[in-house]
Amino acid sequence: MAATIKTAEEIEKMRVAGKLASEVLTMITPYVKKGVTTDELNTICHDYIVNEQGATPAPLNYGEPPFPKSICTSVNHCICHGIPSDKKLKDGDIINIDVTVIKDGYHGDTSKMFIVGKPSILAERLVRVTQECLYNAIKEVKPGMRLGDIGHLCQTHAEAHNYSIVREYCGHGIGKHFHEDPQIVHYGKPGTGEELVPGMCFTIEPMVNAGKRYSKILPDQWTVVTKDRSLSAQWEHTLLVTETGVEVLTLREEEDLPRVINHD
Ligand code: MF3
Ligand code: CO
Ligand code: CO
């Protein structure tokens, strides 16, 4: 199935959903501290999404078996889909919080990394390089770019730093559904794959391991971890392809990235 092209009305709803998702990450930031449990972070996000935003947390009951919480919290060697629990964050932990909200029938999906307490040089570098993978790809998005170009930009930057790109999980089209076509993989060859066209909405969400790329799923059937227990980082934005470039629908104020990029 091909990507759906959003109408002007749908794009406006994607802007609203994207803004709400970004605001959840901004809201939760001061709570991400040593001693807090990931379940407490889940409850704060859930209540904010439902009561303040009048929106729905998309992860809750998503998939099979149903995901049991409203956000994903992926700590240290957890690659993605970490389930909030009563485990406390400790000094030096790295954590990805992934937020997806549904508002007026449309989804906004975004995640960011946090470093708890004093960052180690190693953790700081992994987290920074992973964000650069995302930003390098976003900065080139425009009609005519191909999916292989996105993958190649992520992969070359990660591998230049001796990190590896996770292959089993990827970005995705997004809209009325959480996960739509096409799949956006974070590795590949330039000049290959589907061409981007105006009105497409999709995520880029590179997962980068400090060690080897291999992953495994824990018996809870959700939590994905690195096979070699190396640290893993991820950042995610929801994007709209415009006539001339890209709009970052989930941009936060703290970010050093333009919300709209025009290539002509
Ligand atoms: N938010 C994730 C993504 O970026 C998907 C999480 S699925 C869940 O695609 F069920 F774990 F929430
Ligand atoms: Co996500
Ligand atoms: Co996503």
Side-chain angles (χ1 to χ4, degrees):
M1 211 182 65
T4 66
I5 303 308
K6 269 68 180 171
T7 64
E9 292 72 36
E10 289 182 294
I11 287 168
E12 202 39 54
K13 292 179 182 182
M14 289 298 293
R15 284 195 183 104
V16 172
K19 182 163 192 286
L20 292 177
S22 77
E23 286 170 353
V24 178
L25 286 180
T26 301
M27 178 282 299
I28 201 63
T29 296
Y31 296 97
V32 185
K33 281 196 186 136
K34 174 172 119 181
V36 75
T37 70
T38 48
D39 211 17
E40 287 164 352
L41 297 175
N42 176 72
T43 300
I44 297 164
C45 288
H46 177 95
D47 292 350
Y48 186 79
I49 293 166
V50 171
N51 301 327
E52 308 284 326
Q53 298 188 323
T56 304
L60 187 60
N61 295 318
Y62 181 79
E64 197 43 53
F67 191 80
K69 300 285 174 174
S70 298
I71 58 172
C72 296
T73 51
S74 301
V75 178
N76 294 337
H77 70 292
C78 181
I79 295 172
C80 63
H81 303 169
I83 301 174
S85 75
D86 59 7
K87 209 167 156 197
K88 289 181 173 158
L89 294 180
K90 56 184 195 314
D91 218 28
D93 280 348
I94 65 170
I95 174 175
N96 174 278
I97 299 185
D98 193 336
V99 169
T100 312
V101 305
I102 312 169
K103 181 73 173 183
D104 207 0
Y106 287 80
H107 290 71
D109 186 10
T110 184
S111 79
K112 70 173 270 194
M113 295 299 300
F114 300 84
I115 306 182
V116 179
K118 189 175 151 30
S120 73
I121 304 263
L122 242 77
E124 199 155 49
R125 181 167 166 273
L126 175 67
V127 165
R128 174 180 54 80
V129 169
T130 306
Q131 188 178 43
E132 288 166 355
C133 289
L134 173 62
Y135 283 7
N136 289 354
I138 289 175
K139 286 174 180 163
E140 300 298 323
V141 169
K142 63 173 183 182
M145 187 197 204
R146 300 175 69 164
L147 294 185
D149 300 327
I150 293 177
H152 185 72
L153 286 164
C154 292
Q155 183 179 12
T156 49
H157 191 62
E159 290 178 355
H161 292 267
N162 273 326
Y163 297 144
S164 64
I165 291 276
V166 174
R167 301 204 179 191
E168 295 88 348
Y169 304 89
C170 55
H172 48 91
I174 183 167
K176 273 190 191 152
H177 304 279
F178 196 160
H179 296 110
E180 301 184 355
D181 283 339
Q183 293 198 3
I184 312 290
V185 302
H186 303 104
Y187 58 91
K189 291 194 202 325
T192 67
E194 194 178 324
E195 263 192 30
L196 303 185
V197 292
M200 275 176 76
C201 290
F202 61 89
T203 72
I204 303 178
E205 47 183 297
M207 285 145 276
V208 176
N209 297 348
K212 296 205 191 318
R213 67 177 177 85
Y214 304 101
S215 67
K216 64 176 187 187
I217 302 177
L218 296 188
D220 63 31
Q221 297 183 65
W222 276 105
T223 311
V224 180
V225 298
T226 56
K227 244 187 177 162
D228 62 8
R229 294 191 63 88
S230 63
L231 282 185
S232 187
Q234 178 178 32
W235 295 81
E236 175 176 26
H237 273 311
T238 298
L239 309 171
L240 163 72
V241 182
T242 64
E243 295 292 333
T244 52
V246 62
E247 198 174 312
V248 185
L249 300 178
T250 47
L251 193 77
R252 299 178 304 284
E253 254 173 36
E254 62 173 341
E255 289 185 275
D256 188 15
L257 184 74
R259 201 183 63 80
V260 178
I261 301 174
N262 264 304
H263 286 277
D264 46 43

mmCIF file of all heavy atoms in Angstrom, residues 81 98-100 108-111 170-174 178-179 202-205 234 236-238, ligand 3:
data_model
loop_
_atom_site.group_PDB
_atom_site.id
_atom_site.type_symbol
_atom_site.label_atom_id
_atom_site.label_comp_id
_atom_site.label_asym_id
_atom_site.label_seq_id
_atom_site.Cartn_x
_atom_site.Cartn_y
_atom_site.Cartn_z
ATOM 1 N N HIS A 81 10.074 0.637 23.131
ATOM 2 C CA HIS A 81 8.879 -0.056 23.647
ATOM 3 C C HIS A 81 9.038 -0.500 25.100
ATOM 4 O O HIS A 81 8.388 -1.463 25.528
ATOM 5 C CB HIS A 81 8.502 -1.256 22.767
ATOM 6 C CG HIS A 81 8.276 -0.884 21.329
ATOM 7 N ND1 HIS A 81 8.157 -1.821 20.341
ATOM 8 C CD2 HIS A 81 8.139 0.328 20.725
ATOM 9 C CE1 HIS A 81 7.975 -1.204 19.168
ATOM 10 N NE2 HIS A 81 7.953 0.101 19.390
ATOM 11 N N ASP A 98 8.803 8.176 24.784
ATOM 12 C CA ASP A 98 8.135 8.216 23.483
ATOM 13 C C ASP A 98 6.645 8.450 23.724
ATOM 14 O O ASP A 98 5.984 7.662 24.412
ATOM 15 C CB ASP A 98 8.385 6.889 22.746
ATOM 16 C CG ASP A 98 7.993 6.965 21.271
ATOM 17 O OD1 ASP A 98 7.157 7.799 20.910
ATOM 18 O OD2 ASP A 98 8.520 6.145 20.487
ATOM 19 N N VAL A 99 6.161 9.564 23.166
ATOM 20 C CA VAL A 99 4.786 10.013 23.387
ATOM 21 C C VAL A 99 4.030 10.003 22.061
ATOM 22 O O VAL A 99 4.519 10.546 21.068
ATOM 23 C CB VAL A 99 4.784 11.454 23.951
ATOM 24 C CG1 VAL A 99 3.383 12.045 23.942
ATOM 25 C CG2 VAL A 99 5.389 11.492 25.348
ATOM 26 N N THR A 100 2.868 9.393 22.046
ATOM 27 C CA THR A 100 1.992 9.478 20.871
ATOM 28 C C THR A 100 0.594 9.842 21.349
ATOM 29 O O THR A 100 0.025 9.136 22.201
ATOM 30 C CB THR A 100 1.949 8.149 20.100
ATOM 31 O OG1 THR A 100 3.273 7.681 19.914
ATOM 32 C CG2 THR A 100 1.265 8.330 18.746
ATOM 33 N N GLY A 108 0.048 12.248 16.629
ATOM 34 C CA GLY A 108 1.355 12.926 16.680
ATOM 35 C C GLY A 108 2.278 12.050 17.510
ATOM 36 O O GLY A 108 1.893 11.609 18.598
ATOM 37 N N ASP A 109 3.489 11.790 17.005
ATOM 38 C CA ASP A 109 4.386 10.776 17.594
ATOM 39 C C ASP A 109 5.783 11.367 17.687
ATOM 40 O O ASP A 109 6.355 11.781 16.674
ATOM 41 C CB ASP A 109 4.351 9.545 16.662
ATOM 42 C CG ASP A 109 5.100 8.332 17.172
ATOM 43 O OD1 ASP A 109 5.529 8.320 18.338
ATOM 44 O OD2 ASP A 109 5.245 7.376 16.378
ATOM 45 N N THR A 110 6.347 11.409 18.908
ATOM 46 C CA THR A 110 7.668 12.020 19.083
ATOM 47 C C THR A 110 8.347 11.474 20.328
ATOM 48 O O THR A 110 7.677 11.090 21.285
ATOM 49 C CB THR A 110 7.543 13.560 19.157
ATOM 50 O OG1 THR A 110 8.848 14.145 19.224
ATOM 51 C CG2 THR A 110 6.744 14.018 20.372
ATOM 52 N N SER A 111 9.682 11.418 20.284
ATOM 53 C CA SER A 111 10.409 10.973 21.478
ATOM 54 C C SER A 111 11.704 11.742 21.633
ATOM 55 O O SER A 111 12.237 12.279 20.660
ATOM 56 C CB SER A 111 10.681 9.467 21.419
ATOM 57 O OG SER A 111 11.774 9.177 20.579
ATOM 58 N N CYS A 170 11.441 0.655 12.799
ATOM 59 C CA CYS A 170 11.649 1.737 11.844
ATOM 60 C C CYS A 170 10.623 2.843 12.050
ATOM 61 O O CYS A 170 9.691 2.714 12.841
ATOM 62 C CB CYS A 170 11.557 1.184 10.433
ATOM 63 S SG CYS A 170 10.035 0.302 10.105
ATOM 64 N N GLY A 171 10.811 3.945 11.321
ATOM 65 C CA GLY A 171 9.803 4.993 11.262
ATOM 66 C C GLY A 171 8.658 4.537 10.370
ATOM 67 O O GLY A 171 8.696 3.456 9.786
ATOM 68 N N HIS A 172 7.650 5.410 10.221
ATOM 69 C CA HIS A 172 6.402 4.974 9.595
ATOM 70 C C HIS A 172 5.571 6.163 9.148
ATOM 71 O O HIS A 172 5.638 7.238 9.754
ATOM 72 C CB HIS A 172 5.594 4.154 10.612
ATOM 73 C CG HIS A 172 5.498 4.822 11.961
ATOM 74 N ND1 HIS A 172 4.467 5.664 12.291
ATOM 75 C CD2 HIS A 172 6.330 4.818 13.026
ATOM 76 C CE1 HIS A 172 4.665 6.123 13.529
ATOM 77 N NE2 HIS A 172 5.791 5.640 13.999
ATOM 78 N N GLY A 173 4.737 5.918 8.120
ATOM 79 C CA GLY A 173 3.688 6.866 7.818
ATOM 80 C C GLY A 173 2.790 7.008 9.038
ATOM 81 O O GLY A 173 2.716 6.101 9.877
ATOM 82 N N ILE A 174 2.091 8.159 9.132
ATOM 83 C CA ILE A 174 1.253 8.413 10.309
ATOM 84 C C ILE A 174 0.111 9.339 9.912
ATOM 85 O O ILE A 174 0.263 10.167 9.017
ATOM 86 C CB ILE A 174 2.114 8.985 11.462
ATOM 87 C CG1 ILE A 174 1.282 9.190 12.729
ATOM 88 C CG2 ILE A 174 2.828 10.281 11.050
ATOM 89 C CD1 ILE A 174 2.122 9.440 13.977
ATOM 90 N N PHE A 178 -1.883 5.018 13.721
ATOM 91 C CA PHE A 178 -0.591 5.163 14.406
ATOM 92 C C PHE A 178 0.532 4.803 13.426
ATOM 93 O O PHE A 178 1.471 5.577 13.234
ATOM 94 C CB PHE A 178 -0.610 4.208 15.612
ATOM 95 C CG PHE A 178 0.422 4.430 16.676
ATOM 96 C CD1 PHE A 178 0.219 3.898 17.949
ATOM 97 C CD2 PHE A 178 1.581 5.155 16.443
ATOM 98 C CE1 PHE A 178 1.152 4.072 18.957
ATOM 99 C CE2 PHE A 178 2.522 5.335 17.453
ATOM 100 C CZ PHE A 178 2.301 4.779 18.705
ATOM 101 N N HIS A 179 0.424 3.631 12.813
ATOM 102 C CA HIS A 179 1.475 3.156 11.905
ATOM 103 C C HIS A 179 0.890 2.921 10.521
ATOM 104 O O HIS A 179 0.093 2.015 10.320
ATOM 105 C CB HIS A 179 2.112 1.876 12.464
ATOM 106 C CG HIS A 179 2.823 2.103 13.769
ATOM 107 N ND1 HIS A 179 2.367 1.625 14.973
ATOM 108 C CD2 HIS A 179 3.936 2.801 14.056
ATOM 109 C CE1 HIS A 179 3.191 2.024 15.944
ATOM 110 N NE2 HIS A 179 4.147 2.733 15.413
ATOM 111 N N PHE A 202 5.123 11.385 7.950
ATOM 112 C CA PHE A 202 5.800 10.176 8.443
ATOM 113 C C PHE A 202 6.740 10.553 9.577
ATOM 114 O O PHE A 202 7.007 11.736 9.813
ATOM 115 C CB PHE A 202 6.564 9.479 7.312
ATOM 116 C CG PHE A 202 7.649 10.310 6.693
ATOM 117 C CD1 PHE A 202 8.934 10.301 7.204
ATOM 118 C CD2 PHE A 202 7.372 11.114 5.597
ATOM 119 C CE1 PHE A 202 9.929 11.081 6.640
ATOM 120 C CE2 PHE A 202 8.361 11.894 5.013
ATOM 121 C CZ PHE A 202 9.649 11.884 5.546
ATOM 122 N N THR A 203 7.210 9.522 10.277
ATOM 123 C CA THR A 203 8.183 9.752 11.346
ATOM 124 C C THR A 203 9.563 9.304 10.872
ATOM 125 O O THR A 203 9.700 8.418 10.031
ATOM 126 C CB THR A 203 7.847 8.958 12.622
ATOM 127 O OG1 THR A 203 8.114 7.569 12.399
ATOM 128 C CG2 THR A 203 6.398 9.145 13.039
ATOM 129 N N ILE A 204 10.583 9.945 11.446
ATOM 130 C CA ILE A 204 11.945 9.413 11.404
ATOM 131 C C ILE A 204 12.316 9.201 12.869
ATOM 132 O O ILE A 204 12.079 10.086 13.701
ATOM 133 C CB ILE A 204 12.933 10.370 10.706
ATOM 134 C CG1 ILE A 204 12.461 10.705 9.281
ATOM 135 C CG2 ILE A 204 14.333 9.757 10.659
ATOM 136 C CD1 ILE A 204 13.377 11.690 8.529
ATOM 137 N N GLU A 205 12.844 8.027 13.210
ATOM 138 C CA GLU A 205 13.073 7.705 14.621
ATOM 139 C C GLU A 205 14.232 6.730 14.800
ATOM 140 O O GLU A 205 14.057 5.610 15.283
ATOM 141 C CB GLU A 205 11.794 7.157 15.262
ATOM 142 C CG GLU A 205 11.069 6.080 14.472
ATOM 143 C CD GLU A 205 9.771 5.649 15.166
ATOM 144 O OE1 GLU A 205 9.837 5.123 16.285
ATOM 145 O OE2 GLU A 205 8.691 5.848 14.570
ATOM 146 N N GLN A 234 17.490 6.860 21.034
ATOM 147 C CA GLN A 234 16.519 7.105 19.960
ATOM 148 C C GLN A 234 15.939 8.513 20.103
ATOM 149 O O GLN A 234 15.699 8.975 21.221
ATOM 150 C CB GLN A 234 15.377 6.088 20.034
ATOM 151 C CG GLN A 234 14.305 6.311 18.970
ATOM 152 C CD GLN A 234 13.196 5.284 18.992
ATOM 153 O OE1 GLN A 234 12.838 4.768 20.059
ATOM 154 N NE2 GLN A 234 12.640 4.985 17.830
ATOM 155 N N GLU A 236 12.800 10.935 17.928
ATOM 156 C CA GLU A 236 11.749 10.805 16.910
ATOM 157 C C GLU A 236 10.999 12.115 16.685
ATOM 158 O O GLU A 236 10.650 12.804 17.645
ATOM 159 C CB GLU A 236 10.725 9.747 17.354
ATOM 160 C CG GLU A 236 9.514 9.624 16.420
ATOM 161 C CD GLU A 236 8.553 8.513 16.812
ATOM 162 O OE1 GLU A 236 8.491 8.151 18.004
ATOM 163 O OE2 GLU A 236 7.852 8.019 15.910
ATOM 164 N N HIS A 237 10.753 12.421 15.417
ATOM 165 C CA HIS A 237 9.825 13.500 15.062
ATOM 166 C C HIS A 237 8.809 13.019 14.028
ATOM 167 O O HIS A 237 9.101 12.123 13.226
ATOM 168 C CB HIS A 237 10.554 14.714 14.482
ATOM 169 C CG HIS A 237 11.037 15.670 15.517
ATOM 170 N ND1 HIS A 237 10.225 16.142 16.534
ATOM 171 C CD2 HIS A 237 12.246 16.255 15.711
ATOM 172 C CE1 HIS A 237 10.911 16.983 17.294
ATOM 173 N NE2 HIS A 237 12.139 17.063 16.833
ATOM 174 N N THR A 238 7.632 13.658 14.041
ATOM 175 C CA THR A 238 6.626 13.494 12.992
ATOM 176 C C THR A 238 6.775 14.663 12.014
ATOM 177 O O THR A 238 6.840 15.819 12.435
ATOM 178 C CB THR A 238 5.207 13.490 13.587
ATOM 179 O OG1 THR A 238 5.076 12.381 14.480
ATOM 180 C CG2 THR A 238 4.154 13.391 12.498
HETATM 181 CO CO CO B 3 6.834 6.300 15.650
#
